[in-house]
Amino acid sequence: MQNGMDRLREALRKAACVSVLTGAGISAESGVPTFRGADGLWENYNVMELATPEAFENDPELVWRFYNWRRSLISRLTFNAAHKALAELETRIPRFTLITQNVDGLHAKAGSRNILEIHGNLWKVRCVECSMIVLDHSPDMGHLPRCSRCGGFLRPHVVWFGESLDPDILQKSLDASRSCEVMITIGTSAIVQPAASLAMEARRSGALTAEINLERTGHSEFMDLVLLGKAGETVPGLLEGWS
Ligand code: OAD
């Protein structure tokens, strides 16, 4: 009998259309803290209370201190074997979409091309007045950065709790989930919506669904295949024996 890894490898080799959803777990082995693990705290603040429009309104300097800490941390890190393997997988599959909840930019750094960053990007900032978006890789943006065009306050171009996803990116993610033959979720607790429902959308449309995670999640029972293990070890295994 075939094990889960063999079944997934075989399905990937036959597939013309594959979608992958990643979460914080894929970057954990690069050194990026996850949200709900024991490391989901910063200076004793719950990070989920800082990533809100209310927190920015009440204390923008505190929120920027948190984001400058994240920028500075992530600027010193790089992609790992799991990010690299997904970039390689993309070159072998005719239609491949990488949907990520991560804002760290490590998928692009590893060479992935067709990426939907549904929660935004840490390296982009947006003016709260004129909405201009700028790419800025500075590890530290200063305590209260301002827009070079209108002088308004800049904020990270990420989706905070209580905010909606960009409707265009959400639609593309839904389309990619509904049209794929194989959908893999990697390193996500599958709690935050609407990302968490994408694998369900894929399953309803007839895709083979697989989950790669250190542990079982609330979604495991709905998945066709559950591969338990570190992403950095499991994801490269998808390419094994592929000529
Ligand atoms: P979580 O922190 O909720 O979950 C991380 C998942 O990764 C857990 O299920 C871990 O078991 C798993 N994990 C940890 N290390 C791993 C490893 N080395 N290999 C494989 N799996 C591993 O992160 P997300 O699901 O990404 O949203 O969280 C979703 C969203 O919640 C984030 O994008 C963020 C947060 O609030 C926003 O900021 C809008």
Side-chain angles (χ1 to χ4, degrees), residues 161-176:
F161 278 97
E163 295 184 323
S164 305
L165 270 57
D166 177 314
D168 181 48
I169 295 179
L170 177 58
Q171 190 56 51
K172 285 183 176 147
S173 303
L174 284 167
D175 292 346

Side-chain angles (χ1 to χ4, degrees), residues 23-25 29 34-36 101 119 159 161 187-189 192 213-214 231:
E29 288 158 76
T34 60
F35 290 89
R36 292 174 183 80
Q101 299 167 86
H119 290 167
V159 178
F161 278 97
T188 176
S189 55
V192 174
N213 200 301
L214 276 185

Side-chain angles (χ1 to χ4, degrees), residues 30-86:
S30 290
V32 183
T34 60
F35 290 89
R36 292 174 183 80
D39 48 4
L41 281 177
W42 171 76
E43 293 186 2
N44 293 324
Y45 291 98
N46 179 339
V47 298
M48 277 168 286
E49 284 165 16
L50 287 170
T52 64
E54 293 77 26
F56 191 71
E57 212 163 282
N58 294 338
D59 195 346
E61 292 192 24
L62 173 69
V63 174
W64 264 115
R65 205 147 55 83
F66 169 59
Y67 278 93
N68 281 331
W69 168 76
R70 290 185 75 191
R71 282 175 160 257
S72 146
L73 172 81
I74 294 170
S75 68
R76 297 191 296 270
L77 305 177
T78 194
F79 55 84
N80 63 52
H83 296 104
K84 194 75 204 146
L86 290 182

Side-chain angles (χ1 to χ4, degrees), residues 4 7 203 206-211 219-226:
R7 279 188 62 197
R203 192 179 163 81
L208 179 87
T209 52
E211 174 179 61
H219 268 195
S220 303
E221 62 179 298
F222 306 110
M223 293 282 171
D224 294 306
L225 305 169
V226 176

Side-chain angles (χ1 to χ4, degrees), residues 7 13 51 63 73 106 113 122 139 160 166-167:
R7 279 188 62 197
R13 267 168 236 179
V63 174
L73 172 81
L106 294 181
R113 297 257 174 266
L122 188 64
W160 282 332
D166 177 314

